[in-house]
Amino acid sequence: AGRRSFAVPLDADVRAFWLLFLPAVANQTLALVAALLHWSKRNRDARPQSYPGVSVLKPIHGLDPNTAAAFLSQVQQDYPEFEVLFGVHNETDAAVPEIRRLQTAFPASSIRLIVCRTKAPNGKVGTLVDLGREARYPIWVVNDSDIKVTRAYLSSVVAPLSDESIGVVTCPYRADAHSLATRWEALGIATDFMPSALVAQQLGVREFGFGSTLAFRAADLNSVGGFAALSDYLADDYQLARRISGLGKRALLSHYTVETSLGEGTWAGVWNHQLRWARTIRVSKGEGYLGLPITHAGIWVVLAAICGAWWPALLLACVRILSGTTTAWLVLRSRQALALVWLAPAWDLYAFAIWLASYGGSQVRWRDKVLRIDHQGRIQP
């Protein structure tokens, strides 16, 4: 009997492999095209037709590596009328001195520190409930405590809301890493998570939102139950966008990119962070989550190489790296991710391990707490 080459598919198992390999190639090609389209339209964002008053709601819990710079950037905005509301659970929070310094440095700006008392399974949402009661303006912008922006931020994210068909504006984000472990996570954000978001927008997905920024009309949120309706859910950002999209409006991924700071500096911290995201997405997306490994191109590169299909493996690896490079640089301007983009196929192996682990339980670690979530993403006692 002659030797058999796996470079050419001959049996049912190998044919089944190609049925999965080709969608993986198509997915990476689509991610590349989506990134190029997003980049090509970067100068076409809506210009403000009016400047409605904006309340920036900032739920705070402790310090992040970039707290001082992030807080300062929220206050220094080229926008005529806005306020920044910082919410803490108690006045002993480590971030309070930074907020007080801002109030002293910018006495003419509306900077308010609010001690929030509302208790909720999702403590962040409990803070937002109280901040919402204090907000004075019709447009609300919610972003995480570590989000750093430029002076054009509010104008950029509020302008699209002049279109009544848009219910939520959210932002892509690049990560500023402070350790080897967080550089690894920053690579995943830039070359895996954000490309998926770009593809989702191109495919017409209506309900997505990130903690990096959620800009919306207060009236729209109040019509679907306000922040209180989100208090049981871990993925409050997704749930907010989902509910407002349910009004017949859509979520828009802005061309404005914000910067976040990754505080979990250890490998264990990065694993827990990624596992929390994965389990939250699993319960939010349901059966659709089963197909996620199609996006893990590195898995299919390895399997193709094992089968002896070296040229297809090389092709997919090149498309994967090119797709990651396009998003990391043209869309996000992330120098840290760009330096490691050649490791994008290796990230996919790590992401596949996270995907497998996400089915191993319902517990997640969030800051200093361990939480359990049910099949709908609600936090359980």
Side-chain angles (χ1 to χ4, degrees), residues 126-195:
T127 300
L128 287 171
V129 168
D130 289 352
L131 293 180
R133 291 195 189 106
E134 298 289 334
R136 295 196 295 247
Y137 295 119
I139 302 297
W140 291 356
V141 173
V142 177
N143 57 44
D144 290 338
S145 61
D146 61 349
I147 296 300
K148 182 181 175 183
V149 298
T150 66
R151 289 178 176 271
Y153 170 65
L154 283 184
S155 295
S156 298
V157 301
V158 170
L161 293 175
S162 61
D163 182 349
E164 286 293 330
S165 70
I166 296 174
V168 179
V169 179
T170 193
C171 288
Y173 57 94
R174 62 178 171 269
D176 183 24
H178 305 277
S179 69
L180 182 60
T182 52
R183 283 178 181 270
W184 175 248
E185 186 173 25
L187 170 69
I189 291 171
T191 66
D192 182 14
F193 182 74
M194 290 314 309

Side-chain angles (χ1 to χ4, degrees), residues 268-304:
V270 169
W271 174 269
N272 288 329
H273 191 198
Q274 290 294 315
L275 186 58
R276 172 167 64 85
W277 277 0
R279 286 182 173 165
T280 303
I281 295 171
R282 190 197 80 206
V283 298
S284 298
K285 295 298 184 183
E287 294 181 358
Y289 184 73
L290 284 169
L292 189 63
I294 290 296
T295 68
H296 300 154
I299 293 290
W300 307 101
V301 170
V302 171
L303 291 177

Side-chain angles (χ1 to χ4, degrees), residues 21 24-25 28-29 32 191 296-305 309-325 341-346 348:
F21 181 87
V25 176
Q28 292 303 314
T29 304
L32 172 60
T191 66
H296 300 154
I299 293 290
W300 307 101
V301 170
V302 171
L303 291 177
W310 294 104
W311 284 111
L314 181 60
L315 171 65
L316 180 54
C318 289
V319 175
R320 174 69 178 98
I321 293 171
L322 181 59
S323 168
T325 300
V341 73
W342 57 277
L343 289 173
D348 293 337

